Amino acid sequence: MTFGSPTDNTCCHQESCDLLPSELSALVSDTAPGRGALRPARSWLHSDAPSLSLNGSWRFRLSPTASAAEDFAADAFDDEGWDSIPVPSHWVLQGDGAYGRPIYTNVQFPFPIDPPYVPDENPTGDYRRHFALPADWSDAERVVLRFDGVESLFRVWVNGVAIGSASGSRLAHEFDVTSAVRPGDNVVAVRVHQWSAASYVEDQDQWWLPGIFRDVTLLARPAGGIEDVWLRTGYDNGRGRIDPEVVADESAFPVTLRVPELGVEQVWATPADVAPVELADVEPWSAEQPRLYEATVSSAAESIALRVGFRTVEIRGDRFLVNGRRVVFHGVNRHETHPERGRVFDEDHAREDLALMKRFNVNAIRTSHYPPHPRLLDLADELGFWVVLECDLETHGFGTVDWVGNPSDDPTWRPALLDRIERTVERDKNHPSIVIWSLGNEAGTGSNLAAMSAWVHARDAERPVHYEGDHAGEYTDVYSRMYSTVPETEQIGTDGSSAPLLNCTPAQGARQRTKPFLLCEYAHAMGNGPGGFDQYEALVHRHPRLHGGFVWEWRDHGILTTTPDGSPFYGYGGDFGEVVHDGNFVMDGMVLSNDVPTPSLYEFKAVVQPVGFTFEADKFAVTNLRHSADTSDLRFRWRVEHDGRLVESGDLDVPVVAAGGSEWVPLPPIVVAPDAETWLTIDAVLASPTAWAPEGHVIATAQLDRTVRRPAVPAARPRSVWRPSDGTLSLGIAEFAGGSLVRLAGRAVSGPRLELFRAPTDNDESGAGTVVGSDDSRAGVSSADLWRGEGLDRLTTRRLSVEGAEDALRTVDKVSAANSALSVMVESVWSLEDGELELRVEIEPSRGWRTVWPRIGVRFELPDGTAPVDGAEWFGLGPLESYADSLHAAYTGRFSSTIRDLSVDYARPQETGHRSQLRQLSLKSGDLETLRIVAVPDTQGRRPGFTLSRHTPQQIARAEHPFELPDSTTSHLIIDAAQHGLGSRACGPDVWPEFALRPEARTIRLRITAPR
């Protein structure tokens, strides 16, 4: 091979010279996917051919526009005065703001909608680094420079020679630099423009983060090497098939395929000899049993290592099948995001991220909305996930202008969009985990998407094509929707239904019902929520056409930053001075930015658990809901608790249950307590450690209530004679002044005060989504706006009466808000019953309330004094927060927590910490008990819940970030007769009517004692 000579570093290409403004504008507005020595797309392969990582420290200069001088590309340019920046990285996350700041938008473009043009104010990063070409590369036939991810448009020079340009931020690009490199020292220069024509088709719901953010690698391509390999596989009842495609010059042959574990050593002497290999006995690959076989494809000059998984993907009627069995996706949408690195890949963090998914029963990933780092797919193959691999395409902002000029239907953009899908498929085609190709997301519809689909079908006949925006099903193989309501989803799944489908004629709707259906996004996991996982899951089991879906989304995208005084917090849209932004809509994951799972992830795990339990008399059924794995990897544990205290435990003898099967098992002997609640809990746990969880990790849980019916707590003694009172007295441990509580068990306490408000959740604050909950709900108006309009956040009290009787005190209050004629009557009766202090609160709304209420509860204030209330122990549902439509992860038991850990640190403070179905509550100060409360069920058997916090709902509602919460000297205890559900209205359906809290009369009854 002849490398470029030292004289080749002169400016010999027009592109390497300074461009005129018109030429520069044409460059950044060029819709072509690439120019120059850009090579065709191919697989990301593990090759033993020499390579040199160019990751590390690069010289860096940022210019405010794209028109900075290009002299930096010259070989002899002096960059000593430049800064240094790590590659890979995003320049806006380096230098503490010295190079600009991140921008978050969901739909909006952060520049004028003027395709394909972008503003002259276009931050442009220039990169330079030296590298030494290894001496043993002299035998290389070609030298290739590979970029795995650069946002957005970039141009490349080597030793002053213009090599080419490319766009497609999350796609791989390789340039032939053979004629430009030389022995010894070399210089590579890269110019990256933050904005370009490509930005119009990369309008994903995420941060705009420019820079070289994935690996840069120099590859020595040997003479007689293997350019590309694709080992397609098939599986049928124990038999396997490898259908190979080898791209190599004839001089590379003979080429040998080896699969040592299967005894395969197939030699192909010429390209014409390459043919399928049939195997008589193989184990299949699935997301539950990700069986991989090590394989190599070798020539004399190069060996490619691959991992082969045998599976057959097919659509049969309206069923999506892998290896002949229906797949149910219990999936998440996954962005690549990290609070400090952005989209820069870290394999250890990614592996733990996927292991966390497995531990929470996630079995599928949609790579929203672009191909991830290629190593992530290696991990998905290894750990086991069904993957919907999505192309780097979204044009959502064109919806603002009614899709006028949308690239999806403009022939000018077709080469760019075809290039994107080709690079997506070619790079990742060898992965068994990928079972569906997706054209992109929220890009409207049009002929270019149809052309992309046609290309995929021609290239890969096995894996189906997905794109949610093809509502009428013109060019896709599966019917996909976002955030359809439960009734609509049921109609989609019901045979014979003629209910209209979104944007479909009756004939188109009939056609869509012949396809497998999946929810590519549902259950928007923003802040506290979502509710209603179980309703969607139930439909999947009733209607086989429904194949599950993907929660939006896996994790919050918070970026770690600091307040002016240096306090760290996770920033969202608007925290970095953006001109336009979409606020905290980027904080919508089931995992917080700091890797902490939220209660919604526990709820998801419980709802989709792959083992079901059905109790009947003295036996129970174990049902295996898995795709292909039996239960031989599990063991079953049981325990019996009396009022949440363990009395017995052991292991159950459960026969192995095949996938889709069910077995009946006798219940263990249960000692029932005559004077306590008796609960049996059964856990299915891992029998041995796996790559993603230790032995004993809980996969599924069920509880059975075996409590003997006991007499209800007697009603409070009726007092027939009430007399006016000044309300200053003592009742047991309670002291009152003017009818108001002032002390309990020797400590200052005030209350109960009616509380109808909660700090609105992100779902409460949204006026979008589908309205189903409130009698007064209307499109565009959030529940939180209705609550504030009714004054629920600013209630005032007028005392109507204070009366006394023997060992009792009664107050009647009228509670209402300024500028409102609506009111609530609150009767509070304190009494001594059998020597214990009892409080009964009767709450009755006036006529005329139309909106749902966030809660019906009473609040107590507990000032710190000498012993602040800083924790709780309770018997009820736990251990995490729970709400009416999010209860499956909560189980009955006895739990304890600090007051801090009772709440979740959502990125925007909101309602958090409610524990449902309370029986007993002990308030703690350190290790000391300060008060004990027993919650008595109402006449319908309903139990209250509780929240214990250092802030009131009103204080929490006023804060946009956790650091804005004021310092507190008081703990606040709220006992709720009921709370409104959570729903998914931030981007989906409102709270289902069954879980919506309408204004109604409720009773709260508590027994309060001093610590013993």
Side-chain angles (χ1 to χ4, degrees):
M1 171 185 137
T2 302
F3 296 120
S5 67
T7 58
D8 284 339
N9 60 17
T10 57
C11 186
C12 58
H13 290 62
Q14 183 179 358
E15 188 178 352
S16 68
C17 301
D18 288 352
L19 299 174
L20 296 174
S22 60
E23 295 171 322
L24 182 62
S25 177
L27 176 70
V28 296
S29 61
D30 187 0
T31 62
R35 302 286 186 185
L38 188 61
R39 305 178 84 235
R42 66 188 184 113
S43 300
W44 194 84
L45 297 170
H46 298 274
S47 168
D48 67 354
S51 65
L52 177 67
S53 173
L54 298 187
N55 292 352
S57 180
W58 289 52
R59 292 292 190 177
F60 180 74
R61 175 185 69 183
L62 183 67
S63 302
T65 71
S67 58
E70 294 178 357
D71 55 349
F72 83 100
D75 187 7
F77 181 82
D78 183 3
D79 59 19
E80 284 300 314
W82 287 19
D83 297 336
S84 294
I85 195 171
V87 169
S89 72
H90 304 279
W91 71 62
V92 293
L93 298 184
Q94 300 295 315
D96 196 22
Y99 310 121
R101 306 295 277 171
I103 299 170
Y104 166 61
T105 63
N106 171 26
V107 177
Q108 303 178 83
F109 285 115
F111 45 79
I113 305 174
D114 184 24
Y117 304 106
V118 294
D120 294 337
E121 295 83 4
N122 187 354
T124 296
D126 292 332
Y127 296 78
R128 282 173 56 90
R129 75 156 289 167
H130 289 257
F131 65 89
L133 196 72
D136 59 358
W137 283 28
S138 58
D139 293 335
E141 182 179 58
R142 315 298 302 168
V143 176
V144 172
L145 181 59
R146 181 183 181 97
F147 293 84
D148 283 311
V150 183
E151 183 176 326
S152 131
L153 167 70
F154 68 106
R155 293 184 283 158
V156 183
W157 295 260
V158 174
N159 296 326
V161 177
I163 301 301
S165 63
S167 60
S169 297
R170 271 66 69 176
L171 304 168
H173 297 89
E174 293 183 336
F175 297 91
D176 190 332
V177 298
T178 308
S179 63
V181 295
R182 63 197 178 203
D185 183 63
N186 293 261
V187 178
V188 59
V190 183
R191 170 159 285 187
V192 181
H193 303 287
Q194 176 161 10
W195 310 123
S196 70
S199 303
Y200 283 102
V201 295
E202 294 176 3
D203 188 31
Q204 291 103 342
D205 178 7
Q206 62 179 351
W207 296 96
W208 298 88
L209 298 173
I212 306 174
F213 68 93
R214 285 186 185 157
D215 306 303
V216 182
T217 311
L218 200 67
L219 306 172
R221 300 299 306 138
I226 298 171
E227 184 65 14
D228 203 358
V229 174
W230 186 4
L231 298 183
R232 294 179 174 93
T233 64
Y235 178 82
D236 184 16
N237 292 320
R239 297 185 60 83
R241 177 185 175 92
I242 299 175
D243 191 356
E245 177 183 290
V246 178
V247 179
D249 290 340
E250 192 162 353
S251 62
F253 286 80
V255 169
T256 303
L257 167 67
R258 294 182 177 88
V259 188
E261 196 173 352
L262 297 175
V264 173
E265 184 160 346
Q266 178 69 51
V267 179
W268 298 305
T270 69
D273 295 332
V274 177
V277 177
E278 303 289 343
L279 300 162
D281 186 16
V282 301
E283 296 177 47
W285 185 96
S286 72
E288 294 165 356
Q289 296 173 306
R291 181 67 162 93
L292 294 170
Y293 293 89
E294 301 290 337
T296 58
V297 177
S298 305
S299 69
E302 182 178 18
S303 182
I304 304 294
L306 303 97
R307 294 189 297 183
V308 174
F310 292 94
R311 88 287 181 271
T312 294
V313 178
E314 63 179 321
I315 291 177
R316 194 182 301 162
D318 61 359
R319 306 290 195 273
F320 176 81
L321 310 175
V322 175
N323 297 335
R325 296 186 63 87
R326 171 176 172 257
V327 171
V328 174
F329 296 100
H330 293 132
V332 295
N333 285 274
R334 180 192 180 272
H335 270 290
E336 292 199 321
T337 182
H338 185 274
E340 296 173 86
R341 296 188 300 271
R343 282 188 285 280
V344 175
F345 184 75
D346 178 272
E347 183 164 332
D348 289 341
H349 186 262
R351 181 181 288 275
E352 176 51 34
D353 219 30
L354 267 58
L356 187 66
M357 291 182 189
K358 296 286 286 190
R359 293 197 292 273
F360 280 87
N361 292 335
V362 174
N363 72 0
I365 298 169
R366 177 182 178 222
T367 67
S368 55
H369 298 292
Y370 44 83
H373 190 284
R375 275 293 292 158
L376 184 97
L377 298 166
D378 286 341
L379 299 178
D381 293 341
E382 174 189 324
L383 295 174
F385 290 92
W386 312 116
V387 174
V388 176
L389 197 286
E390 197 145 87
C391 182
D392 190 7
L393 172 64
E394 181 166 337
T395 68
H396 204 168
F398 284 92
T400 306
V401 293
D402 294 326
W403 300 101
V404 174
N406 182 19
S408 299
D409 202 34
D410 182 345
T412 305
W413 292 84
R414 183 166 297 177
L417 271 57
L418 284 172
D419 179 77
R420 285 171 181 261
I421 194 64
E422 289 172 21
R423 291 188 180 278
T424 296
V425 172
E426 296 295 354
R427 193 197 74 170
D428 297 328
K429 56 186 177 283
N430 279 293
H431 292 282
S433 57
I434 298 172
V435 293
I436 295 176
W437 299 113
S438 179
L439 303 179
N441 182 69
E442 292 176 324
T445 189
S447 60
N448 293 339
L449 286 157
M452 293 167 70
S453 178
W455 183 90
V456 176
H457 283 117
R459 183 70 176 113
D460 184 1
E462 179 188 38
R463 286 178 276 213
V465 172
H466 163 275
Y467 175 66
E468 184 271 342
D470 181 27
H471 293 152
E474 299 291 343
Y475 47 84
T476 47
D477 303 306
V478 297
Y479 182 30
S480 175
R481 287 283 304 281
M482 296 180 181
Y483 307 108
S484 57
T485 65
V486 170
E488 184 182 10
T489 303
E490 184 164 29
Q491 287 301 315
I492 292 169
T494 300
D495 289 340
S497 173
S498 59
L501 301 184
L502 180 69
N503 296 333
C504 286
T505 66
Q508 290 167 338
R511 175 174 60 193
Q512 290 295 65
R513 284 191 171 90
T514 67
K515 300 176 181 178
F517 177 79
L518 63 86
L519 284 161
C520 67
E521 294 180 21
Y522 82 110
H524 194 260
M526 186 175 181
N528 189 348
F533 280 132
D534 56 327
Q535 293 174 285
Y536 288 97
E537 181 67 11
L539 294 180
V540 168
H541 296 292
R542 289 204 299 269
H543 303 288
R545 179 181 304 133
L546 307 181
H547 288 73
F550 299 80
V551 174
W552 187 268
E553 65 172 309
W554 172 241
R555 64 163 58 243
D556 285 357
H557 297 222
I559 291 181
L560 188 61
T561 186
T562 59
T563 63
D565 68 2
S567 300
F569 72 101
Y570 294 101
Y572 50 74
D575 287 333
F576 300 95
E578 299 100 313
V579 175
V580 296
H581 63 84
D582 286 303
N584 72 319
F585 207 70
V586 77
M587 306 297 236
D588 47 11
M590 293 192 291
V591 177
L592 300 178
S593 300
N594 61 355
D595 299 338
V596 174
T598 66
S600 68
L601 186 54
Y602 288 87
E603 179 74 1
F604 176 86
K605 175 186 177 181
V607 168
V608 306
Q609 63 186 27
V611 177
F613 300 91
T614 304
F615 294 98
E616 183 180 300
D618 59 351
K619 61 184 179 179
F620 69 100
V622 176
T623 302
N624 183 357
L625 302 173
R626 291 165 156 182
H627 171 267
S628 48
D630 63 27
T631 61
S632 59
D633 62 326
L634 304 177
R635 61 186 176 90
F636 294 81
R637 303 185 310 205
W638 65 275
R639 65 181 183 274
V640 172
E641 293 168 314
H642 293 166
D643 278 355
R645 295 183 173 87
L646 182 67
V647 293
E648 290 183 288
S649 64
D651 288 343
L652 287 163
D653 184 13
V654 176
V656 173
V657 184
S662 189
E663 295 285 347
W664 286 96
V665 181
L667 286 174
I670 300 172
V671 176
V672 177
D675 56 353
E677 291 188 37
T678 300
W679 286 88
L680 168 69
T681 303
I682 297 176
D683 293 322
V685 305
L686 290 178
S688 57
T690 69
W692 44 269
E695 178 183 350
H697 169 75
V698 176
I699 297 294
T701 297
Q703 277 197 317
L704 175 65
D705 185 1
R706 296 304 294 264
T707 303
V708 174
R709 181 178 293 275
R710 290 173 290 169
V713 176
R717 285 184 294 124
R719 269 80 174 177
S720 57
V721 180
W722 290 99
R723 299 182 180 86
S725 169
D726 64 3
T728 300
L729 72 160
S730 296
L731 287 175
I733 63 172
E735 300 175 36
F736 301 87
S740 297
L741 178 68
V742 293
R743 299 184 73 80
L744 272 174
R747 69 168 299 131
V749 178
S750 63
R753 169 182 173 161
L754 179 69
E755 187 62 84
L756 302 179
F757 186 66
R758 73 183 184 194
T761 67
D762 290 310
N763 291 312
D764 295 337
E765 288 283 14
S766 176
T770 307
V771 179
V772 294
S774 171
D775 294 337
D776 198 33
S777 291
R778 47 195 181 271
V781 181
S782 70
S783 293
D785 283 341
L786 295 174
W787 299 339
R788 287 185 286 256
E790 298 283 14
L792 299 187
D793 59 335
R794 57 183 193 279
L795 297 176
T796 61
T797 300
R798 181 167 65 90
R799 179 145 292 171
L800 302 182
S801 64
V802 180
E803 297 175 306
E806 182 185 0
D807 293 334
L809 174 70
R810 181 174 71 173
T811 61
V812 178
D813 297 324
K814 184 176 184 179
V815 181
S816 53
N819 198 38
S820 174
L822 302 173
S823 63
V824 181
M825 300 299 294
V826 180
E827 179 190 55
S828 301
V829 176
W830 295 89
S831 61
L832 290 178
E833 308 293 339
D834 301 322
E836 289 187 343
L837 180 67
E838 180 169 302
L839 167 64
R840 178 174 53 83
V841 182
E842 300 286 353
I843 301 165
E844 184 176 349
S846 66
R847 289 185 173 184
W849 292 94
R850 287 184 52 79
T851 183
V852 293
W853 278 354
R855 72 184 339 140
I856 302 174
V858 293
R859 190 173 91 212
F860 297 88
E861 313 293 335
L862 300 103
D864 287 351
T866 58
V869 172
D870 57 10
E873 180 181 310
W874 72 99
F875 176 41
L877 291 189
L880 302 176
E881 63 186 26
S882 56
Y883 295 83
D885 54 357
S886 184
L887 286 170
H888 289 268
Y891 60 89
T892 303
R894 190 168 294 273
F895 311 98
S896 64
S897 174
T898 65
I899 194 169
R900 176 178 177 80
D901 290 340
L902 284 169
S903 300
V904 179
D905 284 331
Y906 297 113
R908 184 188 70 80
Q910 56 196 275
E911 162 63 32
T912 178
H914 181 261
R915 267 70 177 175
S916 307
Q917 298 183 22
L918 178 67
R919 281 84 158 165
Q920 300 168 13
L921 172 66
S922 293
L923 301 181
K924 308 293 283 293
S925 180
D927 294 331
L928 299 177
E929 185 179 28
T930 63
L931 285 171
R932 181 174 298 173
I933 300 170
V934 172
V936 180
D938 67 11
T939 55
Q940 297 182 42
R942 298 174 296 191
R943 300 182 185 274
F946 83 95
T947 303
L948 181 65
S949 172
R950 293 293 287 177
H951 298 95
T952 67
Q954 292 76 12
Q955 290 173 325
I956 296 170
R958 286 192 289 269
E960 294 295 325
H961 301 85
F963 67 81
E964 297 170 13
L965 292 168
D967 293 336
S968 175
T969 58
T970 302
S971 295
H972 306 272
L973 172 66
I974 302 177
I975 303 293
D976 284 319
Q979 267 224 34
H980 187 53
L982 298 175
S984 191
R985 196 180 173 192
C987 192
D990 199 354
V991 175
W992 188 245
E994 179 184 349
F995 307 112
L997 179 59
R998 290 171 172 77
E1000 61 183 19
R1002 296 297 289 256
T1003 299
I1004 295 173
R1005 188 178 173 198
L1006 308 173
R1007 289 276 180 104
I1008 306 172
T1009 57
R1012 297 172 184 172

